[in-house]
């Protein structure tokens, strides 16, 4: 089993596109990662992994998407101490937000004891070619950060 897990929610495909690029970045560093859409799993799946990435889009007035509401609530029952984590996602500033759901998910991971090993990545709307490169770098950096910590 892979030691890294990526869970994401995507309605329009923007966060899914980000997840694919991040996965490619992780794999380019010879790390394996299990990738699941939020509706395919529940929060307890994170307990079996050492590194966790969560991708979410921001919905409405800065809300978590429906696909992650139960997941978010179930996280409150977990002890993620010792887990390395990072968060990413898409947003639409025309709704007056700047990716608030990404911040909410980062904060939830920290409350449960996970160590955030790099700054979250937010992309407005659909990833441009430059954004895709940033996503790939985000994945590479996570693989390196997790890998460096893992060896200690």
């Amino acid at each position: 089993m892979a030691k890294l897990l990526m869970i994401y929610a995507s309605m329009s495909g923007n966060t899914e596109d980000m997840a694919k690029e991040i996965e490619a970045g992780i794999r380019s560093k010879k790390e394996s990662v299990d990738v699941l859409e939020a509706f395919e799993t529940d929060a307890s799946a994170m307990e079996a992994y050492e590194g966790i990435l969560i991708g979410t889009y921001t919905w409405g007035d800065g809300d978590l998407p429906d696909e992650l509401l139960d997941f978010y609530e179930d996280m409150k029952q977990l002890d993620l101490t010792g887990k390395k984590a990072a968060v990413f996602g898409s947003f639409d500033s025309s709704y007056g937000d700047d990716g608030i759901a990404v911040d909410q998910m980062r904060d939830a991971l920290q409350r449960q004891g996970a160590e955030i090993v790099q700054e979250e990545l937010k992309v407005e709307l659909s990833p441009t070619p430059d954004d895709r490169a940033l996503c790939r770098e985000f994945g590479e950096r996570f693989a390196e950060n997790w890998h460096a910590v893992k060896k200690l």
Side-chain angles (χ1 to χ4, degrees):
M1 174 186 353
K3 297 294 182 183
L4 302 179
L5 173 65
M6 183 186 324
I7 297 171
Y8 71 92
S10 186
M11 182 182 357
S12 62
N14 297 339
T15 304
E16 180 178 17
D17 288 347
M18 292 177 71
K20 288 177 181 176
E21 293 296 332
I22 292 167
E23 177 185 8
I26 291 169
R27 293 190 189 282
S28 76
K29 295 296 182 181
K30 308 298 185 230
E31 294 286 352
S32 61
V33 58
D34 290 335
V35 180
L36 300 170
E37 289 192 56
F39 66 81
E40 296 177 311
T41 190
D42 58 51
S44 65
M46 294 188 293
E47 294 176 311
Y49 294 84
E50 296 174 31
I52 303 162
L53 296 114
I54 297 181
T56 181
Y57 62 94
T58 301
W59 178 248
D61 295 323
D63 301 319
L64 285 168
D66 288 345
E67 306 94 309
L68 283 174
L69 291 177
D70 290 339
F71 185 93
Y72 182 82
E73 287 301 315
D74 291 346
M75 283 178 65
K76 294 176 181 176
Q77 308 304 315
L78 302 178
D79 179 3
L80 300 177
T81 303
K83 309 290 184 191
K84 308 303 176 195
V87 184
F88 64 94
S90 61
F91 68 99
D92 182 347
S93 65
S94 69
Y95 289 101
D97 77 77
D98 63 349
I100 297 167
V102 173
D103 300 335
Q104 291 174 331
M105 195 57 73
R106 178 204 59 222
D107 294 347
L109 284 163
Q110 286 179 313
R111 277 192 303 274
Q112 299 317 121
E115 177 186 350
I116 304 300
V117 296
Q118 67 195 55
E119 186 175 340
E120 60 277 359
L121 177 63
K122 298 176 184 180
V123 170
E124 184 161 13
L125 301 172
S126 181
T128 66
D130 287 344
D131 292 331
R132 289 178 185 277
L134 287 174
C135 290
R136 185 176 282 263
E137 290 170 17
F138 184 85
E140 291 169 357
R141 202 166 51 251
F142 188 80
E144 292 167 351
N145 289 340
W146 173 77
H147 189 68
V149 172
K150 183 174 70 168
K151 286 185 171 181
L152 297 177

